[in-house]
Amino acid sequence: MRYLKWCIVSLFIYNLLTIMAWLIDDLGWKKGVTEGSYQIYANLISNIQFLIKIILGMDDVINYNFRVLPFIIGAIVWIFIAILFCKLKNRTHH
């Protein structure tokens, strides 16, 4: 049950970061900034997703674009991080 709780928390955080990145990128587009600081900030916020996109060769360093495949892979990474966190936490209590 502890694993499920931490997996849900980590996925919530990941979704929140992705939504924030999308909102920042959208704000940049609304202000007429199609490349630059807004997209860089959005990429920094969505860090795991952005790293996966770079590895898959889907985007350049400047532009932020939401992609489903890196989002799903990023969610899996966050689940593994939550499981690892729980395992490490269990080791310190025993």
Side-chain angles (χ1 to χ4, degrees), residues 39-59:
Q39 287 74 25
I40 292 170
Y41 295 141
N43 281 324
L44 291 174
I45 289 174
S46 70
N47 54 22
I48 290 177
Q49 188 182 145
F50 180 62
L51 292 174
I52 292 168
K53 287 190 289 190
I54 289 175
I55 291 169
L56 295 175
M58 293 183 135
D59 288 311

Side-chain angles (χ1 to χ4, degrees), residues 1-11 78-91 94:
M1 192 61 148
R2 182 184 317 213
Y3 290 110
L4 180 62
K5 177 182 92 173
W6 282 107
C7 287
I8 290 171
V9 168
S10 69
L11 286 176
W78 276 79
I79 289 171
F80 283 133
I81 289 170
I83 292 170
L84 180 65
F85 176 75
C86 287
K87 287 187 181 225
L88 291 174
K89 192 174 178 184
N90 285 339
R91 285 186 186 170
H94 295 286

Side-chain angles (χ1 to χ4, degrees), residues 21-66:
W22 180 79
L23 289 172
I24 289 170
D25 179 54
D26 189 54
L27 177 65
W29 279 96
K30 286 179 180 174
K31 290 188 172 197
V33 181
T34 58
E35 274 192 9
S37 60
Y38 287 99
Q39 287 74 25
I40 292 170
Y41 295 141
N43 281 324
L44 291 174
I45 289 174
S46 70
N47 54 22
I48 290 177
Q49 188 182 145
F50 180 62
L51 292 174
I52 292 168
K53 287 190 289 190
I54 289 175
I55 291 169
L56 295 175
M58 293 183 135
D59 288 311
D60 60 20
V61 178
I62 302 297
N63 294 322
Y64 173 82
N65 291 308
F66 176 82

